[in-house]
Each structure stands twice: as structure tokens, then as C-alpha cells.
Amino acid sequence: MQDYLILDNQIVSQVYARDPLVISGGEGVFLYDIDGKKYYDFSAHYSSSSLGHNHPELIKGIIKQLSTLVSVSVQFATRERVALAKRLLLLSGENYKKVLFGVTGSDAIEFALKAAKYCKKGGVIVSFWRGYHGATAGSAAATGKAETIQIDPSITSLLPSGFVHVSPPYCYRCDYKKEYPSCDLFCIDFIKKRIINDGYDNIAAIITEPIQAAGGVIVPPPGYLKALKKLCRELDALLIFDEVVTGFGRTGSFFASQHWDVYPDIMVVGKALTGGYIPGSAVLMTSEVGEAMDKLTLHGHTHSAYPLMCASALTNLDIIENERLPDNAKRVGNIIIKRLQKMMGKYSFIGDIRGVGLLIAIEIVQDRDSRQADYQMADKLYSKLREAGIITELESSPRLESSVIVLHPPLILSEKEACEALDIIERVFNEIKGVCGVRS
Ligand SMILES: Cc1ncc(COP(=O)(O)O)c(C=O)c1O
């Protein structure tokens, strides 16, 4: 392990380095490191590996396509891309009429932003602090998470202008110090105030994740997304939902927007579209947006609509439906949330447990009264969990003013596996409590 880590450090860019692990295999909900140690994969490749690792049916579907047609330029239609577009439109309740295929979530977001600007003849894009939308220029400009590109003065000039960031519905840490429901969704009114008072008279779109994932699993309160859509209509702006993390069953419904019965004008999906085995993304558009965009001739990437990607996505969708994985995510997710909530009675460093389906947050605080984030404790818990055999995602930074351990295991996670993993989590929490003592 050490030899690979040293070499990796020397010859591979360390912009994405964090964990001192060399991963060499995976099976179901488990990953294996090069020394053969087994880990519960509660990060699932940032919500991509929804079917877990080495899924035999998905692999079969991909292998079949390998001997049919792997790649062809986007100028040609293929059976695979037509079939996938048809399937996605059907799945999304026929709210959309056209699909554009991309390679990554970021480039699909880039197209969605382009579409909004094109349809509204310019205008600004409103997005949310804590939101994450990607690493390319436009998607990074929409991102409100203070990643390097937003804060390092030597590269911020790469970000396009025309983006306005507003406060997300993070009720645990409301920026307006209000409480739901007595707040009467003041945060929505404030978006309108901000836009009007800052003199923006053309709003191309408001973009949001229905549940902010990398921002710390921010679940909007009831009525929020409906009110956001109403605001878009008032402002004559399009609504874009970024379902790159939340799509394809993660939250217990096929798309998170279905929980609140709110349908945007543009929906962006990626990650788990293909089960995570082949990179791929898609933008679903209403007929108004889709037809307008047909007039544009230049958008695409060499590997957009890759037939192998389409085949992987079609097989993945069959598996999700046949195995009723959204139902499983809801059921097993509820078991995890309930058990974690119970643990709150024992561990005062847990400030909040929230989530929907298998997208779950453990918010780490210094104490429950102040709700001050505890960055050191979160770091320690994250490392100890990994050492104990659970890989999670850590979203913790003073800029975010929060420390959150995110659990998003593959959707195939069984109740038994969930309980075993929770036993390990509880054991780690106990050890930490023993070392750190009890705080109120
Ligand atoms: C909500 C959301 N949107 C967009 C993206 C960008 O996707 P990609 O990393 O595939 O470019 C991500 C990536 O994590 C994401 O979490």
C-alpha cells in the first residue's frame, strides 16, 4: 500500500488527494484495499455506484454492448440513444420532451445554463450558497460552496459573471435566524427582494439541487420547492433542478423532485444514470426549452451520447425497476436514520440527523446549544470510521460553518448490512466518546 501511495503522491496530481488508501476491488456494497481489507462503501463513489460494485447484470449489459457498438460521433442517431431518451422521458412522468446527453454532471449543467440563457436572451442565473454544480467554468460559477476556484484570487477570473448566490433552506442553521414553519418561507421572499433591490431585471433561471448533497444534505422544508417554482414564474425565469446526486432512486423516489411534486423546466442527471460504471449525464427539457435549443448547432463533447453509456444506463434502469431499488432506499434509509437519531441520546457531538432515503447527514457540533461546528471531531470521526471499515464522505469546512458526515451507500444495501455498518459506527462513536468525554 505504502509504495503505491508514495508513487501516487509523486506522479499523480494531488488535487483530489485525501484518503491514504489504495483501492483494488469491490463487490456489492464493499470495497477492498490493496492489502485485502474490506470496507462498507457508504460513499458509493459520491452517489454514482448505486448498484454497488461488480453487479453481474450490469456488467453483462455493458459487455453485450461492447461487441455491438461502443462509440460513434454524436452526428449519428443510434438505437441506444433513442431508447434511452424515450425511457428517461417516460420515467420522469412525461414532464419533459427532449433529452441532451453529456459525459459528466458538470458539462450537463453547463448545457442547462446555456439553455436558460438562450431561452431568456441572456439574464442572470440565481443559485444557492452550499450548492455544488460542477468543476467547469459555468457550473463552478453556479456552485455556492467556496471551492478553490471561488476563493483563490489567481483563478477566480476563470468564472463567468452573471451569477447571483442566495441563501439555501438550511433550517438547522437558518441564515435569517428563523424557524420553520413560523418563518413562512421568508427565505423565498428574500430571494425576490435581493433580485429586485439589486436591479436584476432579467433572470434566466434559478438553479438548485432539490436536496443539496455536498452542501451537507440540506433537505428543503415542505412547500419550499413549490414556492421556488412560483417565484420563477413571477420572475419569468426557468427553474433548473440539478438531480445529479438525487436522481435514480437515491432518495426513495426515482427523482427527488417527485417527493414534492414539483417539476422544473430543466432537469439535469448524471452519476447513477449508468449505475456509475460508465460516465454519462443527461439534460431533460420541456418542449419549449428543447425546441429552442434545437436551433443551436454547437454543443457536444466527443463522448456525448456514447452508445456504451446508453446501454449501461438502460440496463441500470431495468435493474433499478426490477429490484425496486427506490423502495429499498426508502426502507433501509429510514432504518439508518431512526437508529442514528436514537444515538443522539448518547453522543452529544451529533447535532442533527437528517436525510431522505439513502442520502443521510450526521451533523457534528461542539454542543447542541451553540450548534458550533466541530471540524476536528468530524475529521477524527471520518478517519476512525474509515479505519474501522466504513468509507463515508466528509463535508466539513470553516467556510461552510458546518461539519457533516454524509452517508450515501449503494441502493442495494440490505437491512442486515445496514445494521452491521451501524454497529461499527456506534462502536467508533463509543470509542470517541470515551476519549473525548461527554459534553452537553
Ligand atoms: C449535485 C451535483 N451536480 C453536479 C455535479 C458535477 O458532476 P461531475 O462531477 O460528474 O462533473 C456534482 C458532482 O459531485 C454534484 O454533486
Side-chain angles (χ1 to χ4, degrees), residues 46 104-107 109 132-135 209 213-214 242 244-245 271:
Y46 301 133
T104 66
S106 303
D107 74 73
I109 292 287
Y132 183 78
H133 299 293
E209 299 158 78
D242 176 345
V244 169
V245 167
K271 293 195 192 257

Side-chain angles (χ1 to χ4, degrees), residues 379-394:
D379 272 356
K380 199 183 307 177
L381 285 166
Y382 173 77
S383 312
K384 291 277 175 208
L385 284 169
R386 186 189 61 231
E387 282 163 30
I390 304 205
I391 292 174
T392 62
E393 182 183 336
L394 179 63

Side-chain angles (χ1 to χ4, degrees), residues 19 349 364 374-388 390 392 394 396 403-405 425 428-437 439:
D19 288 295
F349 51 76
I364 307 299
D374 194 334
Y375 310 109
Q376 278 177 341
M377 175 67 96
D379 272 356
K380 199 183 307 177
L381 285 166
Y382 173 77
S383 312
K384 291 277 175 208
L385 284 169
R386 186 189 61 231
E387 282 163 30
I390 304 205
T392 62
L394 179 63
S396 172
S403 286
V404 174
I405 292 173
I425 291 174
V428 169
F429 284 6
N430 256 332
E431 278 167 25
I432 297 270
K433 185 181 160 186
V435 174
C436 301
R439 290 182 306 228

